[in-house]
Amino acid sequence: MSDAGGDWEQSSPERLYVITGGRSGSSAPATLDLVTLIVARSGPAPGMQPEHAAIIRICQAPLSVAEISAYLGLPVSVVTVLLSDLLAEDKVLARAPVQAAHLPDRALIEAVIDGLQKL
């Protein structure tokens, strides 16, 4: 039996629609992917949307978009919409994770090994 005034299911489409204001994509100029790191600039402000406040609370230390999605139990698509709001309001910072170091050319490594062996 469904109660119209009762609590929504945590992942119901209606709840997700309300959380995002009906938007389905990020309006952030920078693309947010699963490994983009997010960190809050300050604490949550009074009167903030609960999901925005939750993101700011958990992002006192850098977290990836995927981690935020997991902690909040929300789809990544919803989290990226919420993050784009917070980025537009300058409430959070986003940065790409540190790139893995590029290895030198294989020929260079072999030449160094060959040179060390001749010592």
Side-chain angles (χ1 to χ4, degrees), residues 3-110:
D3 181 10
D7 291 335
W8 288 346
E9 273 187 49
Q10 284 293 79
S11 62
S12 73
E14 296 88 0
R15 177 176 176 267
L16 299 177
Y17 182 86
V18 170
I19 289 172
T20 61
R23 295 169 292 151
S24 61
S26 169
S27 62
T31 52
L32 296 171
D33 59 16
L34 293 175
V35 294
T36 301
L37 296 176
I38 306 293
V39 65
R41 289 182 166 269
S42 64
M48 273 185 126
Q49 180 177 337
E51 292 78 15
H52 286 150
I55 290 171
I56 289 177
R57 275 193 300 277
I58 66 173
C59 289
Q60 294 304 306
L63 287 177
S64 70
V65 172
E67 290 172 310
I68 296 167
S69 173
Y71 284 133
L72 297 181
L74 293 171
V76 172
S77 59
V78 171
V79 170
T80 56
V81 170
L82 297 172
L83 287 172
S84 70
D85 295 343
L86 293 171
L87 284 165
E89 296 169 11
D90 207 27
K91 302 284 186 193
V92 296
L93 294 171
R95 72 172 177 83
V98 176
Q99 297 260 337
H102 295 290
L103 294 175
D105 183 33
R106 181 179 176 108
L108 176 62
I109 293 173
E110 289 173 354

